[in-house]
Amino acid sequence: EMCIRDRIFFGNHWLFQVVSPCGELLVYQQNTGRTVPAEGEAVGLDWDDASLRLLAAGEEDGFADPSGGDLMASGDVTNDRS
């Protein structure tokens, strides 16, 4: 099961730290105006294949991994855990 560790609102997007069985993930989600999961809430991840990017830790892509983990993911956070 995955859950939101932290979330930050940047106006046009959200940045989530998600705890998962694979380790911590850093997830970017475009702001759609919909309600987003709260910190501590159980979540699932869903994304279009074209939207997923795995980055090496410290790879220059506009943001760095604040958790010091090996990989970051870009996708959508959903309250649907199915």
Side-chain angles (χ1 to χ4, degrees):
E1 184 168 289
M2 297 180 281
C3 73
I4 301 294
R5 173 173 294 216
D6 196 13
R7 65 183 188 165
I8 302 170
F9 179 61
F10 286 100
N12 67 339
H13 69 277
W14 284 90
L15 195 59
F16 298 92
Q17 277 186 297
V18 179
V19 178
S20 80
C22 299
E24 285 197 10
L25 302 172
L26 187 61
V27 180
Y28 169 97
Q29 178 176 307
Q30 201 68 29
N31 182 23
T32 62
R34 295 183 310 197
T35 302
V36 297
E39 293 173 1
E41 187 171 342
V43 295
L45 295 178
D46 185 30
W47 56 83
D48 180 272
D49 290 344
S51 297
L52 178 66
R53 297 178 297 143
L54 296 178
L55 308 173
E59 182 175 332
E60 295 299 323
D61 193 16
F63 56 92
D65 181 357
S67 68
D70 294 330
L71 298 173
M72 293 185 290
S74 174
D76 292 326
V77 176
T78 176
N79 295 61
D80 180 13
R81 295 182 285 155
S82 57

XYZ file of all heavy atoms in Angstrom:
623
model
N 0.842 -1.180 0.000
C 0.000 0.000 0.000
C 0.889 1.245 0.000
O 1.931 1.274 0.618
C -0.916 -0.002 1.221
C -1.871 1.144 1.211
C -2.955 0.987 2.250
O -3.815 0.109 2.036
O -2.924 1.729 3.225
N 0.454 2.264 -0.699
C 1.200 3.518 -0.799
C 0.461 4.614 -0.051
O -0.756 4.568 0.088
C 1.356 3.913 -2.263
C 2.164 2.921 -3.058
S 2.341 3.404 -4.773
C 0.750 2.917 -5.411
N 1.216 5.613 0.414
C 0.574 6.753 1.067
C 1.392 8.021 0.821
O 2.575 7.963 0.494
C 0.370 6.513 2.555
S 1.856 6.580 3.538
N 0.716 9.157 0.990
C 1.346 10.462 0.808
C 2.147 10.809 2.064
O 1.591 10.873 3.151
C 0.281 11.559 0.569
C -0.568 11.241 -0.659
C 0.934 12.933 0.465
C 0.173 11.257 -1.962
N 3.442 11.011 1.911
C 4.286 11.446 3.026
C 4.247 12.971 3.131
O 4.146 13.535 4.211
C 5.725 11.001 2.850
C 6.649 11.594 3.922
C 7.994 11.022 3.840
N 7.840 9.608 4.183
C 8.712 8.914 4.847
N 9.817 9.467 5.238
N 8.503 7.648 5.108
N 4.326 13.629 1.990
C 4.357 15.087 1.968
C 3.808 15.546 0.627
O 3.874 14.823 -0.365
C 5.797 15.570 2.146
C 5.898 17.033 2.519
O 4.874 17.646 2.894
O 7.014 17.581 2.451
N 3.257 16.754 0.598
C 2.765 17.334 -0.652
C 3.025 18.829 -0.624
O 2.928 19.477 0.416
C 1.288 17.033 -0.869
C 0.401 17.669 0.165
C -1.041 17.298 -0.010
N -1.840 18.117 0.903
C -3.122 18.274 0.834
N -3.807 17.669 -0.115
N -3.762 19.029 1.697
N 3.353 19.361 -1.794
C 3.649 20.787 -1.920
C 2.888 21.312 -3.134
O 2.961 20.729 -4.217
C 5.154 21.041 -2.104
C 5.938 20.452 -0.931
C 5.434 22.528 -2.253
C 7.436 20.441 -1.140
N 2.172 22.420 -2.944
C 1.406 23.043 -4.022
C 2.241 24.166 -4.622
O 2.710 25.055 -3.920
C 0.090 23.591 -3.467
C -0.757 24.271 -4.494
C -1.238 23.584 -5.593
C -1.094 25.603 -4.347
C -2.030 24.206 -6.533
C -1.887 26.247 -5.281
C -2.360 25.549 -6.371
N 2.429 24.134 -5.949
C 3.216 25.141 -6.650
C 2.366 25.998 -7.581
O 2.902 26.642 -8.470
C 4.335 24.474 -7.459
C 5.463 23.966 -6.613
C 5.549 22.632 -6.289
C 6.437 24.831 -6.134
C 6.586 22.152 -5.515
C 7.477 24.363 -5.351
C 7.558 23.022 -5.047
N 1.046 26.000 -7.423
C 0.170 26.827 -8.255
C -0.309 26.087 -9.483
O -1.489 25.801 -9.622
N 0.601 25.770 -10.408
C 0.185 25.043 -11.606
C 0.419 23.539 -11.496
O 0.043 22.788 -12.385
C 0.880 25.585 -12.851
C 2.371 25.332 -12.842
O 2.978 25.111 -11.802
N 2.962 25.361 -14.016
N 1.049 23.095 -10.393
C 1.234 21.661 -10.189
C 1.427 21.321 -8.713
O 1.659 22.193 -7.887
C 2.414 21.130 -11.012
C 3.746 21.616 -10.539
N 4.281 22.840 -10.903
C 4.671 21.038 -9.724
C 5.469 22.994 -10.340
N 5.727 21.916 -9.623
N 1.300 20.031 -8.405
C 1.547 19.482 -7.079
C 2.779 18.603 -7.150
O 3.027 17.941 -8.161
C 0.377 18.602 -6.639
C -0.836 19.364 -6.213
C -1.868 19.758 -7.011
C -1.147 19.799 -4.898
N -2.806 20.422 -6.266
C -2.388 20.455 -4.954
C -0.504 19.699 -3.666
C -3.002 21.008 -3.844
C -1.115 20.237 -2.551
C -2.339 20.888 -2.640
N 3.539 18.561 -6.079
C 4.657 17.646 -5.940
C 4.384 16.801 -4.703
O 4.143 17.343 -3.622
C 5.960 18.435 -5.785
C 7.248 17.665 -5.980
C 7.314 17.050 -7.374
C 8.435 18.594 -5.767
N 4.358 15.486 -4.864
C 4.047 14.559 -3.778
C 5.250 13.670 -3.479
O 5.908 13.196 -4.404
C 2.897 13.620 -4.164
C 1.603 14.296 -4.445
C 1.269 14.673 -5.733
C 0.703 14.535 -3.423
C 0.059 15.291 -6.004
C -0.512 15.153 -3.683
C -0.832 15.526 -4.976
N 5.512 13.426 -2.208
C 6.410 12.350 -1.800
C 5.496 11.192 -1.440
O 4.652 11.310 -0.544
C 7.248 12.732 -0.592
C 8.477 13.530 -0.944
C 9.336 13.733 0.291
O 8.894 14.367 1.238
N 10.535 13.199 0.269
N 5.644 10.077 -2.148
C 4.789 8.911 -1.952
C 5.637 7.766 -1.421
O 6.667 7.430 -2.006
C 4.113 8.491 -3.282
C 3.247 7.258 -3.084
C 3.291 9.642 -3.851
N 5.207 7.178 -0.312
C 5.869 6.002 0.242
C 5.234 4.786 -0.413
O 4.003 4.638 -0.398
C 5.696 5.942 1.775
C 6.333 4.690 2.340
C 6.287 7.185 2.417
N 6.064 3.922 -1.014
C 5.555 2.747 -1.716
C 6.385 1.520 -1.344
O 7.459 1.663 -0.755
C 5.631 2.972 -3.231
O 6.950 2.745 -3.695
N 5.906 0.330 -1.697
C 6.696 -0.871 -1.443
C 8.046 -0.859 -2.174
O 8.969 -1.551 -1.788
C 5.808 -2.005 -1.973
C 4.428 -1.466 -1.917
C 4.571 0.003 -2.209
N 8.157 -0.036 -3.221
C 9.410 0.085 -3.983
C 10.335 1.151 -3.414
O 11.400 1.404 -3.955
C 9.100 0.441 -5.429
S 8.110 -0.770 -6.280
N 9.915 1.836 -2.362
C 10.674 2.955 -1.797
C 9.901 4.244 -1.984
O 8.750 4.245 -2.416
N 10.549 5.362 -1.679
C 9.885 6.655 -1.832
C 9.919 7.106 -3.281
O 10.931 6.952 -3.962
C 10.547 7.698 -0.943
C 10.193 7.517 0.504
C 10.489 8.739 1.339
O 10.791 9.814 0.795
O 10.424 8.602 2.564
N 8.797 7.674 -3.723
C 8.681 8.214 -5.069
C 8.381 9.700 -4.976
O 7.651 10.136 -4.085
C 7.542 7.530 -5.828
C 7.626 6.020 -5.965
C 6.331 5.480 -6.565
C 8.810 5.636 -6.817
N 8.932 10.456 -5.884
C 8.616 11.868 -6.010
C 7.736 12.000 -7.236
O 8.153 11.661 -8.349
C 9.892 12.691 -6.165
C 9.751 14.194 -6.145
C 9.161 14.660 -4.814
C 11.101 14.844 -6.372
N 6.483 12.434 -7.032
C 5.489 12.447 -8.106
C 5.033 13.874 -8.376
O 4.633 14.593 -7.469
C 4.269 11.568 -7.740
C 3.245 11.581 -8.859
C 4.718 10.140 -7.442
N 5.091 14.261 -9.631
C 4.639 15.563 -10.118
C 3.259 15.372 -10.726
O 3.048 14.451 -11.505
C 5.632 16.043 -11.183
C 5.209 17.235 -11.979
C 5.646 18.507 -11.648
C 4.381 17.103 -13.090
C 5.277 19.606 -12.399
C 4.011 18.203 -13.843
C 4.463 19.441 -13.494
O 4.089 20.527 -14.236
N 2.304 16.234 -10.367
C 0.965 16.166 -10.949
C 0.501 17.563 -11.322
O 0.538 18.481 -10.505
C -0.028 15.548 -9.967
C -1.441 15.494 -10.518
C -2.395 14.802 -9.583
O -2.135 13.690 -9.165
N -3.484 15.462 -9.247
N 0.079 17.725 -12.559
C -0.470 18.996 -13.022
C -1.688 19.357 -12.172
O -2.485 18.491 -11.822
C -0.878 18.863 -14.495
C -0.995 20.159 -15.222
C 0.346 20.850 -15.404
O 1.387 20.224 -15.486
N 0.312 22.159 -15.435
N -1.843 20.622 -11.812
C -2.999 21.063 -11.038
C -4.218 21.111 -11.943
O -4.247 21.840 -12.920
C -2.738 22.443 -10.425
C -3.893 22.913 -9.573
O -4.681 22.111 -9.086
N -3.993 24.207 -9.380
N -5.228 20.311 -11.604
C -6.464 20.270 -12.390
C -7.622 20.932 -11.654
O -8.727 20.995 -12.182
C -6.857 18.811 -12.693
O -7.096 18.144 -11.453
C -5.769 18.097 -13.471
N -7.378 21.364 -10.417
C -8.436 21.946 -9.612
C -9.203 20.918 -8.803
O -10.038 21.272 -7.979
N -8.928 19.634 -9.044
C -9.585 18.577 -8.271
C -8.953 18.485 -6.892
O -7.807 18.878 -6.684
C -9.426 17.223 -8.963
C -10.114 17.133 -10.294
C -9.978 15.756 -10.883
N -8.556 15.341 -10.857
C -8.061 14.363 -11.565
N -8.828 13.658 -12.350
N -6.790 14.057 -11.496
N -9.687 17.936 -5.940
C -9.168 17.693 -4.602
C -8.071 16.644 -4.692
O -8.218 15.644 -5.390
C -10.288 17.196 -3.668
O -11.318 18.186 -3.645
C -9.777 16.964 -2.269
N -6.968 16.870 -3.985
C -5.857 15.918 -4.000
C -5.771 15.211 -2.650
O -6.280 15.716 -1.644
C -4.520 16.614 -4.329
C -4.555 17.216 -5.726
C -4.175 17.658 -3.297
N -5.151 14.044 -2.597
C -5.038 13.300 -1.346
C -4.272 14.086 -0.278
O -3.345 14.834 -0.584
C -4.278 12.044 -1.734
C -4.413 11.938 -3.217
C -4.561 13.325 -3.719
N -4.651 13.875 0.975
C -4.007 14.535 2.108
C -2.763 13.755 2.528
O -2.602 12.581 2.187
C -4.980 14.608 3.282
N -1.897 14.415 3.287
C -0.730 13.736 3.840
C -1.206 12.589 4.725
O -2.147 12.731 5.494
C 0.127 14.716 4.621
C 0.763 15.750 3.724
C 1.490 16.836 4.481
O 1.532 16.805 5.710
O 2.023 17.742 3.806
N -0.590 11.424 4.577
C -0.960 10.242 5.332
C -2.037 9.394 4.677
O -2.286 8.270 5.091
N -2.681 9.917 3.639
C -3.754 9.187 2.972
C -3.199 8.097 2.063
O -2.205 8.290 1.365
C -4.604 10.155 2.140
C -5.839 9.525 1.556
C -6.771 10.545 0.922
O -6.660 11.746 1.211
O -7.629 10.113 0.141
N -3.854 6.923 2.080
C -3.481 5.828 1.188
C -3.872 6.195 -0.240
O -4.946 6.752 -0.475
C -4.162 4.538 1.613
N -2.989 5.910 -1.195
C -3.220 6.284 -2.592
C -2.770 5.175 -3.527
O -2.086 4.234 -3.134
C -2.462 7.582 -2.964
C -2.983 8.766 -2.187
C -0.959 7.416 -2.796
N -3.140 5.326 -4.783
C -2.631 4.524 -5.883
C -2.009 5.469 -6.890
O -2.266 6.669 -6.851
N -1.195 4.959 -7.763
C -0.598 5.774 -8.817
C -1.093 5.279 -10.164
O -1.202 4.075 -10.390
C 0.933 5.695 -8.779
C 1.607 6.270 -7.555
C 3.123 6.078 -7.655
C 1.282 7.744 -7.393
N -1.375 6.222 -11.042
C -1.842 5.897 -12.382
C -1.264 6.939 -13.327
O -1.217 8.122 -12.988
C -3.373 5.924 -12.416
C -3.928 5.481 -13.747
O -3.278 4.652 -14.417
O -5.001 5.964 -14.123
N -0.817 6.503 -14.491
C -0.257 7.451 -15.444
C -0.342 6.883 -16.841
O -0.415 5.685 -17.062
C 1.196 7.792 -15.113
C 2.078 6.586 -15.025
C 2.686 5.922 -16.054
C 2.431 5.882 -13.839
N 3.387 4.858 -15.577
C 3.252 4.812 -14.218
C 2.138 6.065 -12.492
C 3.788 3.922 -13.302
C 2.670 5.175 -11.584
C 3.487 4.128 -11.980
N -0.333 7.788 -17.795
C -0.204 7.443 -19.198
C 1.256 7.030 -19.411
O 2.161 7.646 -18.852
C -0.568 8.678 -20.040
C -0.451 8.410 -21.512
O 0.660 8.606 -22.053
O -1.451 7.994 -22.119
N 1.502 6.009 -20.214
C 2.873 5.546 -20.436
C 3.799 6.677 -20.876
O 4.966 6.714 -20.495
C 2.905 4.424 -21.469
C 2.304 3.126 -20.953
O 2.143 2.987 -19.717
O 2.003 2.249 -21.788
N 3.283 7.601 -21.672
C 4.108 8.702 -22.170
C 4.473 9.703 -21.073
O 5.382 10.507 -21.242
C 3.385 9.423 -23.300
N 3.781 9.655 -19.939
C 4.022 10.611 -18.855
C 5.020 10.119 -17.815
O 5.437 10.884 -16.960
C 2.709 10.934 -18.131
O 1.812 11.545 -19.000
N 5.404 8.857 -17.850
C 6.304 8.301 -16.846
C 7.753 8.524 -17.246
O 8.150 8.250 -18.372
C 6.049 6.805 -16.669
C 6.974 6.102 -15.680
C 6.726 6.621 -14.273
C 6.785 4.610 -15.747
N 8.517 9.057 -16.291
C 9.959 9.232 -16.484
C 10.657 8.776 -15.222
O 10.284 9.185 -14.127
C 10.310 10.698 -16.743
C 9.707 11.240 -18.006
C 10.043 12.698 -18.186
N 9.449 13.456 -17.087
C 10.022 14.505 -16.513
N 11.175 14.927 -16.910
N 9.421 15.137 -15.525
N 11.659 7.932 -15.336
C 12.494 7.556 -14.210
C 13.821 8.270 -14.369
O 14.433 8.225 -15.431
C 12.704 6.039 -14.156
C 11.451 5.215 -13.906
C 11.806 3.726 -13.918
C 10.809 5.583 -12.588
N 14.248 8.952 -13.307
C 15.459 9.759 -13.359
C 16.468 9.247 -12.352
O 16.107 8.902 -11.227
C 15.127 11.223 -13.024
C 13.992 11.855 -13.825
C 13.663 13.226 -13.258
C 14.367 11.947 -15.283
N 17.728 9.216 -12.741
C 18.780 8.871 -11.792
C 18.853 9.964 -10.736
O 18.569 11.137 -11.012
C 20.113 8.743 -12.517
N 19.224 9.601 -9.521
C 19.331 10.576 -8.431
C 20.266 11.710 -8.850
O 21.346 11.463 -9.365
C 19.834 9.903 -7.169
N 19.807 12.943 -8.656
C 20.619 14.114 -8.982
C 20.637 14.472 -10.449
O 21.287 15.425 -10.837
N 19.932 13.729 -11.283
C 19.910 14.030 -12.713
C 19.299 15.409 -12.919
O 18.272 15.741 -12.342
C 19.082 12.980 -13.459
C 19.056 13.206 -14.955
C 18.322 12.090 -15.691
O 18.322 10.961 -15.179
O 17.763 12.376 -16.745
N 19.929 16.212 -13.753
C 19.441 17.562 -14.014
C 18.204 17.506 -14.888
O 18.252 17.114 -16.028
C 20.518 18.404 -14.705
C 21.728 18.651 -13.833
C 21.397 19.418 -12.564
O 20.541 20.318 -12.610
O 22.001 19.115 -11.535
N 17.058 17.851 -14.290
C 15.810 17.892 -15.038
C 14.872 18.916 -14.418
O 13.677 18.737 -14.363
C 15.163 16.509 -15.064
C 14.031 16.441 -16.101
O 13.952 17.312 -16.976
O 13.221 15.534 -16.000
N 15.444 19.980 -13.867
C 14.626 21.024 -13.295
C 14.346 20.848 -11.819
O 13.942 21.768 -11.152
N 14.534 19.634 -11.274
C 14.371 19.419 -9.847
C 15.217 18.231 -9.424
O 15.524 17.364 -10.213
C 12.911 19.214 -9.448
C 12.204 18.099 -10.174
C 12.178 16.819 -9.662
C 11.549 18.352 -11.361
C 11.515 15.793 -10.324
C 10.893 17.338 -12.037
C 10.877 16.065 -11.523
N 15.618 18.220 -8.187
C 16.432 17.144 -7.641
C 15.612 16.347 -6.643
O 14.645 16.843 -6.085
C 17.678 17.713 -6.968
N 16.020 15.122 -6.395
C 15.331 14.236 -5.466
C 15.661 14.638 -4.035
O 16.780 14.449 -3.580
C 15.780 12.801 -5.740
C 15.109 11.784 -4.848
O 14.325 12.182 -3.964
O 15.370 10.599 -5.037
N 14.698 15.228 -3.284
C 14.989 15.692 -1.933
C 15.179 14.561 -0.931
O 15.750 14.765 0.125
C 13.754 16.520 -1.568
C 12.665 15.953 -2.397
C 13.327 15.510 -3.680
N 14.727 13.355 -1.260
C 14.839 12.245 -0.316
C 16.175 11.531 -0.434
O 16.486 10.669 0.373
C 13.704 11.240 -0.544
O 13.882 10.587 -1.797
N 16.965 11.872 -1.463
C 18.240 11.203 -1.658
C 18.086 9.814 -2.240
O 19.034 9.044 -2.290
N 16.887 9.455 -2.706
C 16.643 8.136 -3.280
C 17.274 7.994 -4.648
O 17.856 8.925 -5.192
N 17.151 6.823 -5.214
C 17.778 6.536 -6.494
C 16.935 6.939 -7.696
O 17.471 7.241 -8.750
C 18.092 5.034 -6.606
C 19.138 4.612 -5.609
O 19.995 5.429 -5.266
O 19.078 3.458 -5.182
N 15.607 6.916 -7.551
C 14.747 7.183 -8.696
C 13.617 8.129 -8.333
O 13.184 8.170 -7.188
C 14.140 5.885 -9.240
C 15.111 4.850 -9.771
C 14.354 3.571 -10.116
C 15.841 5.366 -10.981
N 13.150 8.864 -9.312
C 11.985 9.706 -9.152
C 11.000 9.332 -10.248
O 11.400 8.930 -11.327
C 12.357 11.175 -9.284
C 13.235 11.680 -8.170
S 13.521 13.438 -8.287
C 14.561 13.522 -9.724
N 9.713 9.477 -9.977
C 8.696 9.171 -10.978
C 7.839 10.400 -11.210
O 7.583 11.169 -10.301
C 7.816 8.016 -10.515
N 7.414 10.583 -12.438
C 6.505 11.657 -12.783
C 5.211 11.014 -13.255
O 5.218 10.223 -14.195
C 7.112 12.506 -13.894
O 6.213 13.472 -14.336
N 4.106 11.295 -12.591
C 2.832 10.692 -12.964
C 1.708 11.364 -12.205
O 1.846 12.499 -11.778
N 0.612 10.691 -12.051
C -0.550 11.238 -11.374
C -0.856 10.459 -10.111
O -0.731 9.235 -10.086
C -1.790 11.218 -12.265
C -1.669 12.191 -13.421
O -1.045 13.252 -13.221
O -2.181 11.894 -14.498
N -1.269 11.165 -9.084
C -1.685 10.534 -7.830
C -3.207 10.459 -7.859
O -3.873 11.404 -8.226
C -1.220 11.363 -6.616
C -1.739 10.757 -5.336
C 0.288 11.477 -6.604
N -3.735 9.316 -7.455
C -5.175 9.141 -7.467
C -5.649 8.558 -6.140
O -4.905 7.832 -5.500
C -5.626 8.219 -8.634
O -7.020 8.011 -8.547
C -4.910 6.891 -8.606
N -6.847 8.909 -5.745
C -7.436 8.340 -4.527
C -7.956 6.927 -4.793
O -8.280 6.208 -3.866
C -8.598 9.207 -4.033
C -8.135 10.562 -3.605
O -7.595 11.310 -4.403
N -8.329 10.895 -2.347
N -8.046 6.535 -6.059
C -8.536 5.216 -6.427
C -7.410 4.203 -6.247
O -6.402 4.287 -6.912
C -9.009 5.225 -7.880
C -9.531 3.885 -8.339
O -9.761 3.003 -7.487
O -9.724 3.731 -9.560
N -7.603 3.257 -5.321
C -6.561 2.279 -5.056
C -6.827 0.947 -5.738
O -6.220 -0.050 -5.393
C -6.408 2.076 -3.542
C -5.924 3.330 -2.870
C -5.726 3.114 -1.421
N -7.023 3.069 -0.755
C -7.259 2.464 0.377
N -6.322 1.823 0.996
N -8.461 2.485 0.917
N -7.671 0.912 -6.744
C -7.997 -0.354 -7.422
C -6.936 -0.728 -8.429
O -6.127 0.026 -8.837
C -9.347 -0.257 -8.108
O -9.374 0.819 -9.017
